[in-house]
Amino acid sequence: MSNSIVSAAHALKLSEKRIMSAALAKLDSMSKKAPTKPIRITALEFAECFGIDETTAYEQLKSGAEGLYNRSIVRVIPTAYGQKKEKIRWVSRALYHAGEGFVEMNFTDHVAPYLMALEKRFTTYKLEQTRALRSIHSWRLFENLKRWESTGKWIVEIDDFHHAMDASESYRKNFAQLRKWVIEPAVKELLTVSGLDIKWSPHKTGRRVTRLLFRFKPAEQMSLDLQPPAEM
């Protein structure tokens, strides 16, 4: 997906994020035409994809389909006259068929350009890298780190981090709570599930945390870097 969408607020719950990601994986991202046919995801393939039982898959498809229609991507765009906020609906149609256990959805015309025929400034990853994640914060952190994979470093203003993580108002006001309930659990899960070793640090302006620095690389590579050089 486009980098501008990766850094935007997605406002998706975990079940909705799973459905959306499974749908994105079915797109022909090289096509220059917006998808017109609905994308179908069955409970069986959803269960296999995310390593859950079919009962849980049915439940997540149902709750996810109900919420998706009302979800929007929120982009904050700075201008000479102040911030401009844009909301883009993910889907124009979402259907859950209880009798047959599947979801169908159509992406909106407005979101399609951020998903199709991308030639530069985009982020990609394999769905298997996120299939075992159990936290939406871990998933969103992973996506934003993948955006900067070539450098292994993500420097982000704290307000932009709040936005990308869909942080609650209480977390925005209290960095200790943000650290405890968002950052540290996400970093721990990404190491456990995705094998990503992350070192991060907050940077202050006066007494307020204003910026975060994340350094990351695969854990195996990190371990190799820490080994002393072999004697000649």
Side-chain angles (χ1 to χ4, degrees):
M1 67 184 81
S2 164
N3 283 346
S4 63
I5 294 298
V6 172
S7 60
H10 288 192
L12 296 175
K13 296 180 179 179
L14 183 62
S15 60
E16 297 163 355
K17 180 66 174 175
R18 284 175 167 176
I19 295 172
M20 190 60 63
S21 297
L24 287 173
K26 290 191 169 191
L27 285 180
D28 178 4
S29 60
M30 300 303 293
S31 173
K32 296 183 182 298
K33 295 182 179 181
T36 56
K37 294 182 179 180
I39 297 172
R40 178 177 294 195
I41 302 166
T42 68
L44 179 58
E45 64 183 335
F46 192 75
E48 292 176 347
C49 182
F50 294 103
I52 55 180
D53 58 71
E54 280 196 58
T55 299
T56 302
Y58 278 106
E59 293 173 352
Q60 290 195 8
L61 284 178
K62 181 179 180 180
S63 62
E66 289 176 351
L68 272 175
Y69 184 76
N70 295 314
R71 301 298 183 192
S72 297
I73 299 162
V74 181
R75 297 175 64 215
V76 176
I77 307 165
T79 73
Y81 303 99
Q83 289 187 337
K84 179 171 62 176
K85 182 180 287 188
E86 178 185 35
K87 289 188 175 183
I88 305 170
R89 280 189 181 272
W90 280 103
V91 299
S92 57
R93 171 180 173 269
L95 174 149
Y96 173 71
H97 195 303
E100 296 188 33
F102 68 78
V103 159
E104 277 189 355
M105 67 181 69
N106 293 77
F107 287 107
T108 64
D109 292 339
H110 285 94
V111 78
Y114 297 101
L115 309 175
M116 311 294 295
L118 302 177
E119 297 178 356
K120 57 182 179 179
R121 297 194 181 96
F122 63 90
T123 299
T124 183
Y125 59 89
K126 293 183 178 180
L127 192 56
E128 65 188 32
Q129 294 176 280
T130 56
R131 68 187 298 269
L133 293 178
R134 297 294 183 264
S135 164
I136 191 65
H137 292 137
S138 302
W139 203 323
R140 293 295 290 126
L141 179 60
F142 178 81
E143 285 183 333
N144 279 275
L145 294 183
K146 288 292 287 186
R147 178 183 173 187
W148 299 99
E149 187 173 33
S150 62
T151 65
K153 181 170 62 176
W154 182 33
I155 303 172
V156 57
E157 300 298 319
I158 191 66
D159 290 340
D160 293 335
F161 183 80
H162 290 155
H163 183 69
M165 294 295 114
D166 290 303
S168 67
E169 192 62 30
S170 61
Y171 293 163
R172 292 171 187 252
K173 292 179 179 179
N174 189 327
F175 181 76
Q177 294 297 305
L178 182 77
R179 175 198 292 265
K180 180 178 180 180
W181 299 109
V182 177
I183 302 175
E184 291 181 343
V187 167
K188 181 178 180 180
E189 185 173 32
L190 288 180
L191 173 61
T192 303
V193 173
S194 300
L196 200 62
D197 202 314
I198 304 167
K199 308 298 181 185
W200 72 278
S201 57
H203 292 250
K204 293 184 176 181
T205 300
R207 299 179 62 182
R208 179 176 179 268
V209 174
T210 55
R211 181 179 297 176
L212 300 176
L213 167 62
F214 292 87
R215 295 182 183 274
F216 58 97
K217 61 175 68 175
E220 291 183 4
Q221 183 179 342
M222 184 75 78
S223 298
L224 289 173
D225 289 347
L226 295 176
Q227 294 297 319
E231 296 184 2
M232 300 298 291

